[in-house]
Amino acid sequence: MSIAKRIAAKRAEQERRFAEVEEWGEADQPLRLYFSPVAARDIERVQRKHPNFMSNTTLASMVEMIILKCEDEAGEKAFTLEDKPILMGEPASVLAKLFNEVFSADSIEDHEKN
């Protein structure tokens, strides 16, 4: 097996992670959003619209990454680009917290320990 194929197999084994967004929850339960680790292709995709994404991360680019990565528990996309205006109306602190969790999350097991 080539090194690239081993890397791809390892990536496929990586678990999804999640973030809990209390501000978006219902009935005193936070909204749980799932995502896989951010890959180079995800960054490239966001950089097409936001060329300085890595050096000058804007709220609009954070929202683009949230839309790209976040899923519900069943693995369906949580948001579409049509949701961007709604998300852009959310508090910057909520968006930044979710974005940071997407970029630097622990595994589900590590998150549940905390």
Side-chain angles (χ1 to χ4, degrees):
M1 180 185 292
S2 72
I3 292 173
K5 287 182 181 179
R6 285 196 312 245
I7 291 169
K10 189 89 162 153
R11 183 179 61 240
E13 293 172 3
Q14 291 177 332
E15 295 186 45
R16 286 193 321 162
R17 298 168 167 102
F18 70 87
E20 293 182 338
V21 184
E22 292 189 28
E23 296 84 352
W24 297 346
E26 295 179 352
D28 296 330
Q29 294 295 318
L31 174 65
R32 189 176 273 195
L33 294 170
Y34 295 82
F35 46 87
S36 59
V38 174
R41 73 174 63 112
D42 300 325
I43 293 169
E44 287 290 319
R45 187 168 172 187
V46 172
Q47 281 184 319
R48 285 186 214 131
K49 284 188 179 177
H50 306 276
N52 298 320
F53 173 67
M54 294 301 288
S55 61
N56 183 24
T57 306
T58 63
L59 286 169
S61 64
M62 288 181 191
V63 168
E64 293 274 346
M65 186 62 75
I66 289 168
I67 291 169
L68 178 63
K69 297 302 293 180
C70 289
E71 302 173 341
D72 64 15
E73 189 172 8
E76 299 294 322
K77 296 298 262 178
F79 307 108
T80 68
L81 284 176
E82 292 175 0
D83 299 318
K84 186 174 180 180
I86 295 168
L87 293 171
M88 289 297 293
E90 290 298 302
S93 60
V94 173
L95 296 172
K97 180 181 173 190
L98 177 56
F99 173 81
N100 287 331
E101 289 197 44
V102 169
F103 249 77
S104 61
D106 297 325
S107 68
I108 289 175
E109 290 81 15
D110 291 340
H111 192 81
E112 288 176 340
K113 288 178 193 172
N114 295 328

